[in-house]
Amino acid sequence: MTDISKGNSVFIEHLSTIDSTNALLKRRIAAGELSGITAVSADEQTAGRGRRGRTWLTTEGSLMLSAAFPLTGIDPDSIPLVSIAAALATWSTIRFAGVNCAIKWPNDVITLSDGGYHKLSGILSELASSPCGELFAVIGIGINVNCNNMPENLMQPASSLLIEKGTETELEPLANRLLSELISEMEALKQGSGALLSRFAESCVTLGKSVEAQCMDGTIITGEAVALGPRGRLLIKTGERTVAVGAADVSVHFQKNKPAEE
Ligand code: BTN
């Protein structure tokens, strides 16, 4: 275990291998071991976790980082926006690394090309309570950084920073940048949701597009993604109705006849 943090007031504990950096932080919260912001990264996860109970594979040279944030000072109504804050932090970090990208609702960072897209990163935000009832957000982020050949059998087409810009990116400064961005977006969340949602809307490629949302209960909603609701939900206009979707897989139709499936 080495400490790779520079420039943040919070250190990143770096592990060579772990089941899942999110699972590790949740275990520590449940054991009452955490108080302030805590961050962990790993070279390899043997049981990496994705959204909706999926697996997140370790690809060569990827960045896998989780950070636990005490939610003290955050309005309970704003807690669903943690994942929006994490998406903005990841988006800015990838742009800082020199790759032009956008956010696909709810929190994937993607590159756009030829009417389709490739996923560069994924985010899993979870809640966990300490034995004394303190609530934490555990934000886990995986970024495809130095992988030359992304596996083809993934749920969504994927790319990496290396494939996009042709040069390798050092993982340690990238991890530090990501943590700094996360800390500042979580601070922004304490000030309220309005500004955060406006910035998210500016970088979110889903808005204004024809979409198909597969909800957690299996319902499919098709229509136009018209706006974000106050808690970050996607508002989809379907005929005369507008439906608010909170957690879903969303396929965005970037061009007619060229659907990009999630
Ligand atoms: C998704 O797109 O489904 C979310 C993927 C989140 C992956 C990251 S990698 C670091 C952290 N640890 C995990 O087990 N998952 C997250």
Side-chain angles (χ1 to χ4, degrees), residues 17-186:
T17 186
I18 186 72
D19 54 349
S20 150
T21 50
N22 266 38
L24 173 69
L25 288 180
K26 286 172 75 181
R27 286 195 293 273
R28 289 182 176 171
I29 292 165
E33 291 169 8
L34 300 193
S35 47
I37 301 170
T38 307
V40 177
S41 62
D43 290 332
E44 180 197 43
Q45 295 187 124
T46 54
R49 300 168 49 221
R51 288 174 55 229
R52 303 182 84 177
R54 296 182 187 124
T55 301
W56 180 263
L57 292 178
T58 299
T59 52
E60 191 195 335
S62 63
L63 173 64
M64 291 168 288
L65 176 129
S66 297
F69 287 85
L71 290 174
T72 327
I74 293 189
D75 175 352
D77 282 350
S78 296
I79 291 176
L81 295 171
V82 164
S83 123
I84 297 271
L88 279 168
T90 308
W91 173 77
S92 333
T93 302
I94 293 176
R95 280 170 59 96
F96 168 78
V99 175
N100 196 15
C101 55
I103 301 172
K104 179 166 130 356
W105 188 92
N107 57 23
D108 288 336
V109 176
I110 60 167
T111 53
L112 295 164
S113 55
D114 301 331
Y117 78 97
H118 287 84
K119 178 164 164 164
L120 292 170
S121 71
I123 298 170
L124 175 66
S125 300
E126 303 183 278
L127 294 176
S129 275
S130 73
C132 64
E134 190 180 8
L135 191 61
F136 288 81
V138 176
I139 303 172
I141 300 171
I143 304 180
N144 306 324
V145 183
N146 293 323
C147 186
N148 224 341
N149 290 301
M150 293 305 296
E152 288 191 353
N153 55 344
L154 300 173
M155 284 209 55
Q156 302 184 70
S159 186
S160 69
L161 307 198
L162 175 59
I163 294 168
E164 296 303 320
K165 65 177 185 166
T167 53
E168 294 210 344
T169 305
E170 273 189 78
L171 291 180
E172 181 181 324
L174 194 71
N176 285 320
R177 178 78 189 204
L178 179 59
L179 180 59
S180 296
E181 295 284 352
L182 266 179
I183 291 170
S184 76
E185 294 297 355
M186 289 298 284

